[in-house]
Amino acid sequence: MDEELKCPVCGSLFKEPILLPCSHNVCLACARNITVQTPEGEPPVQNRASASSDYDYLDMDKMSLYSETDSGYGSYTPCQLKSPNGVRVFPPTVPHRHCSLTCPLCHRSVSLDERGLRGFPRNRLLEAIVSRYQQNRAAAAAAAASSSAVKCQLCDRNPVDATVMCEQCDVFYCTACQQRCHPSRGPLAKHRLVPPPPPQNQAGAAAAASGGSGSGGAGGQQPPATARKPATCAEHEAENFSMYCCSCKAPVCMKCMEEGKHGKHDVKPLAVMWKQHKCQLSQALNGVSDKAKDAKEFLVQLKNMLQQIQENGVEFEACLVAQCDSLIEALTRQKAKLLTKVTKEKEYKLKVVRDQITHCTMKLRQTTGMMEFCLEVIKENDPSGFLQISDALIKRVTSSQDQWVKGALEPKVGPEFDLTLTTDSLLQTILQLDFTQSKVESLPSVPVAPLLQLEKCCTRNNSATLAWRVTAPCSSPIEGYVLELDDGNGGQYREVYVGKETVCTVDGLHFNSSYNARVKAYNSIGVGPYSKTVVLKTSDVAWFTFDPTSAHRDIVLTNENQTVSCNSYDDRVVLGTAAFSKGVHYWEVSIDRYDNHPDPAFGVARINTMKDMMLGKDDKAWAMYVDNNRSWFMHNNSHTSRAEGGITKGSTVGVLLDLTKHTLTFFINKEQHGPTAFENLDGVFMPAVSLNRNVQVTLLTGLEVPKNIKQ
């Protein structure tokens, strides 16, 4: 967990950390060092001398450094000073009107406002974890030093007492090892070397000598940490945080609410959001914990495989030597060549396994450190501090699961040697003797990234078709492909196809949405890299017909499934081929035939609505049924909102489904018919019509949404 608690600028444990907009942290002092001027704020030449004499570096975070024309982004300027971590550090300079700060990790820059560095929230949660970590480390060091002094960690044999410890490397050195491995020059010159902690008996004696007044506490123990005060609002220092603004992703106080700054925002109680985000982080940690457990078991498997490869290699070499010696002088020259091939095979397998161990160990250490840090965060009882970093942590924990892709926890090679030597009746061909099978010439590898064929990728209505091809052959045959799409709003990717085909059509997408798509290939070795991302936009308006597969058997469809009639005197239901769960959609139905004043119904329904009764009589349909004089709204056999005005042959009935406002509105002959029919609609809906043999209608789609809707 050490890496999570160290500042990326100074390399030491965080001191007074502040939270940047990119969710990374830096020490307050380090933030001052990396704050730089922007070109807009350069003062006149004649004022530079006087400004320099009066400048107080600590006042940098009090300057007004923002302008409406500033883009909000800056960059580093050249500097000769560097921190121990290689990040450029900027010395105090003349105060300027415009300054910016660049994150040393993601390199995102942000301009400071009139509050300067005080405008960034202080990460009290991280500060508390660092404090607790330092106390635990000090206690562990005291326990280790109880029996003897701290030993050098780099001495090969008979380690001697350490004389210094590097705060950045966290390693104890004796004098000889420090001069040899950690010289005070080059990139290590900026590292801070401190004396190691004294043995416990010496520390106890020092504490007894200085603690006669009773201030040292019993037994030299550290005083218990005092409880932190509740967090207060930066703009109203007397007010504690009590609510959380989901739109701004920040805790707010009641005065902020009273002033109307968050009047139209989604604001929820702080305790509720605290528990909700803790629950989300805990659930995400469960998945990572399972992966970490599998990784540990995989490491054990790889380490056991090292011994097996060594043993099998030795055994194979002994067998080979025995066979070659039996061929006496004729096999002498060829024996050396065969041994070389076996050695190469063994070295290749050992190298692959060692590389896999190193790679897996590194990922496991990162995952374990992140897990430990997250668990410490969950232990904290500071809701506002937790919510400051919870979103970033949840994203990190979720994305860390993607590191353990398919095949990542499978050995890339096996311990067996697939080499066979045949000696029968081959004395006359001894100079051509060779292994019957060798893997050295063609090393196995994962597939390369596929290439999406843009000329074949297209969208139709709310469906997308993608095609791809392999750009280079692979030593191991490709077993299949994985196609992924996001949610149409720039969210997380999800798998929509896994198989051997190189063309795929994805149905059921949202209308008027842009989807990002990517594809990768996999084989027996593992999963290859992703292709470049392609963006596909679905149709702005819906084009659809009536669906013959879900219609009642008495329904008759003609005109390419756009015209519907019925063979029964009873009402029968037919659905459309489109399904809506997002956006605003409008379609019309033209009355082609209307005899004996029936009352057809028009509206929306679930896929499993009843097909042998009038639309709206069950709880899975919402409709307006209308005759030649009046109409009613109906849902779950409840009739409401009678309105005057009916239909005749040649009339048109329009249906407006607004899933943004979750409402349903009807029109007759382009005029809104009555108020909004239904509200609080949520889910997936399909256009629907019910009619009997006295009515024939034709569906009209791809229409623009009417304006000036009355509620």
Side-chain angles (χ1 to χ4, degrees), residues 184-349:
S184 298
R185 62 179 181 272
L188 302 177
K190 298 295 184 179
H191 285 204
R192 182 182 178 187
L193 302 177
V194 297
Q200 188 176 17
N201 54 358
Q202 299 178 14
S210 62
S213 62
S215 62
Q221 297 180 350
Q222 295 180 352
T226 58
R228 296 193 301 275
K229 295 181 179 179
T232 58
C233 179
E235 298 183 4
H236 312 97
E237 298 181 354
E239 294 290 328
N240 294 335
F241 290 126
S242 58
M243 304 296 289
Y244 182 77
C245 178
C246 298
S247 301
C248 301
K249 296 187 181 299
V252 297
C253 68
M254 293 306 298
K255 282 193 175 181
C256 292
M257 299 289 296
E258 294 173 357
E259 292 175 357
K261 296 180 179 179
H262 305 271
K264 296 183 179 179
H265 293 182
D266 184 13
V267 180
K268 296 183 180 179
L270 188 66
V272 173
M273 294 302 298
W274 177 37
K275 293 180 180 179
Q276 178 181 340
H277 281 232
K278 273 198 173 185
C279 180
Q280 292 178 3
L281 182 57
S282 300
Q283 291 175 354
L285 278 176
N286 289 337
V288 178
S289 177
D290 294 339
K291 296 295 183 181
K293 181 180 178 181
D294 295 341
K296 291 180 181 178
E297 297 175 353
F298 180 59
L299 283 175
V300 173
Q301 179 184 356
L302 291 177
K303 292 177 181 178
N304 293 336
M305 188 181 294
L306 284 176
Q307 182 64 25
Q308 294 178 11
I309 293 175
Q310 292 281 10
E311 295 174 356
N312 293 344
V314 172
E315 181 180 354
F316 196 89
E317 289 176 358
C319 180
L320 178 62
V321 170
Q323 290 178 341
C324 290
D325 288 342
S326 65
L327 299 178
I328 316 197
E329 297 179 359
L331 294 176
T332 301
R333 293 186 297 271
Q334 198 68 15
K335 180 178 64 174
K337 296 180 181 179
L338 297 177
L339 280 173
T340 300
K341 291 190 175 183
V342 174
T343 303
K344 286 183 178 180
E345 177 72 358
K346 181 183 68 175
E347 290 177 350
Y348 164 70
K349 288 178 176 287

Side-chain angles (χ1 to χ4, degrees), residues 607-655:
I607 184 65
N608 57 345
T609 188
M610 300 296 293
K611 309 295 193 308
D612 57 355
M613 62 178 64
M614 179 183 287
L615 189 68
K617 284 197 172 184
D618 62 1
D619 61 349
K620 298 178 177 60
W622 294 256
M624 176 189 73
Y625 70 93
V626 56
D627 59 16
N628 60 323
N629 292 319
R630 61 190 67 84
S631 66
W632 294 263
F633 298 152
M634 186 165 65
H635 168 65
N636 199 17
N637 205 25
S638 175
H639 308 252
T640 59
S641 302
R642 171 178 167 175
E644 297 298 322
I647 60 174
T648 61
K649 180 180 178 181
S651 299
T652 59
V653 177
V655 182

Side-chain angles (χ1 to χ4, degrees), residues 291-583:
K291 296 295 183 181
K293 181 180 178 181
D294 295 341
K296 291 180 181 178
E297 297 175 353
F298 180 59
L299 283 175
V300 173
Q301 179 184 356
L302 291 177
K303 292 177 181 178
N304 293 336
M305 188 181 294
L306 284 176
Q307 182 64 25
Q308 294 178 11
I309 293 175
Q310 292 281 10
E311 295 174 356
N312 293 344
V314 172
E315 181 180 354
F316 196 89
E317 289 176 358
C319 180
L320 178 62
V321 170
Q323 290 178 341
C324 290
D325 288 342
S326 65
L327 299 178
I328 316 197
E329 297 179 359
L331 294 176
T332 301
R333 293 186 297 271
Q334 198 68 15
K335 180 178 64 174
K337 296 180 181 179
L338 297 177
L339 280 173
T340 300
K341 291 190 175 183
V342 174
T343 303
K344 286 183 178 180
E345 177 72 358
K346 181 183 68 175
E347 290 177 350
Y348 164 70
K349 288 178 176 287
L350 293 174
K351 181 179 182 301
V352 170
V353 176
R354 289 190 180 111
D355 291 345
Q356 202 170 4
I357 289 176
T358 301
H359 182 66
C360 186
T361 302
M362 179 184 66
K363 291 201 299 184
L364 179 61
R365 183 177 69 250
Q366 294 174 350
T367 302
T368 305
M370 182 186 64
M371 289 172 56
E372 293 176 356
F373 176 71
C374 291
L375 291 175
E376 292 297 327
V377 170
I378 292 177
K379 293 178 184 178
E380 290 297 311
N381 294 322
D382 184 354
S384 60
F386 178 85
L387 292 173
Q388 283 181 330
I389 64 174
S390 59
D391 285 329
L393 284 179
I394 292 171
K395 290 180 181 177
R396 285 186 56 191
V397 171
T398 303
S399 62
S400 66
Q401 298 186 49
D402 297 337
Q403 296 180 1
W404 307 98
V405 296
K406 179 181 179 181
L409 299 182
E410 296 178 0
K412 293 183 178 180
V413 296
E416 297 80 15
F417 283 68
D418 297 331
L419 304 172
T420 304
L421 183 65
T422 303
T423 60
D424 298 341
S425 304
L426 292 180
L427 289 178
Q428 67 279 15
T429 58
I430 191 66
L431 294 179
Q432 288 77 34
L433 185 65
D434 198 353
F435 290 114
T436 58
Q437 183 177 0
S438 175
K439 291 185 177 181
V440 177
E441 296 179 358
S442 179
L443 302 181
S445 62
V446 299
V448 298
L451 177 65
L452 283 167
Q453 298 178 276
L454 300 182
E455 67 276 8
K456 297 182 179 180
C457 297
C458 61
T459 59
R460 182 180 181 275
N461 219 16
N462 62 335
S463 299
T465 299
L466 297 106
W468 58 89
R469 62 180 177 86
V470 180
T471 58
C474 185
S475 57
S476 296
I478 293 177
E479 297 181 359
Y481 303 89
V482 179
L483 176 63
E484 296 181 356
L485 264 69
D486 65 5
D487 59 359
N489 288 322
Q492 293 185 354
Y493 284 86
R494 68 186 190 280
E495 294 183 0
V496 296
Y497 171 76
V498 178
K500 297 182 179 181
E501 300 295 331
T502 57
V503 178
C504 178
T505 298
V506 183
D507 298 318
L509 303 177
H510 295 304
F511 288 91
N512 194 23
S513 299
S514 296
Y515 287 85
N516 294 290
R518 62 186 184 184
V519 65
K520 60 184 178 181
Y522 63 89
N523 58 12
S524 59
I525 306 303
V527 181
Y530 285 105
S531 66
K532 292 184 178 180
T533 301
V534 63
V535 180
L536 299 172
K537 189 177 185 306
T538 54
S539 176
D540 293 338
V541 295
W543 298 85
F544 58 93
T545 62
F546 290 117
D547 184 12
T549 61
S550 62
H552 192 275
R553 61 179 178 271
D554 293 333
I555 291 293
V556 178
L557 295 177
T558 56
N559 188 26
E560 296 181 342
N561 296 332
Q562 291 179 328
T563 300
V564 58
S565 58
C566 182
N567 289 330
S568 173
Y569 285 103
D570 296 321
D571 290 303
R572 303 298 188 226
V573 173
V574 59
L575 303 179
T577 55
F580 304 120
S581 61
K582 172 186 173 184

Side-chain angles (χ1 to χ4, degrees), residues 678-700:
F678 301 101
E679 300 179 350
N680 302 322
L681 294 177
D682 194 16
V684 180
F685 302 94
M686 307 180 73
V689 173
S690 69
L691 72 171
N692 61 19
R693 66 182 303 164
N694 293 315
V695 183
Q696 177 178 299
V697 299
T698 297
L699 182 64
L700 305 174

Side-chain angles (χ1 to χ4, degrees), residues 132-146:
R132 185 165 62 245
Y133 175 78
Q134 289 176 319
Q135 294 177 5
N136 294 339
R137 189 170 66 171
S146 60

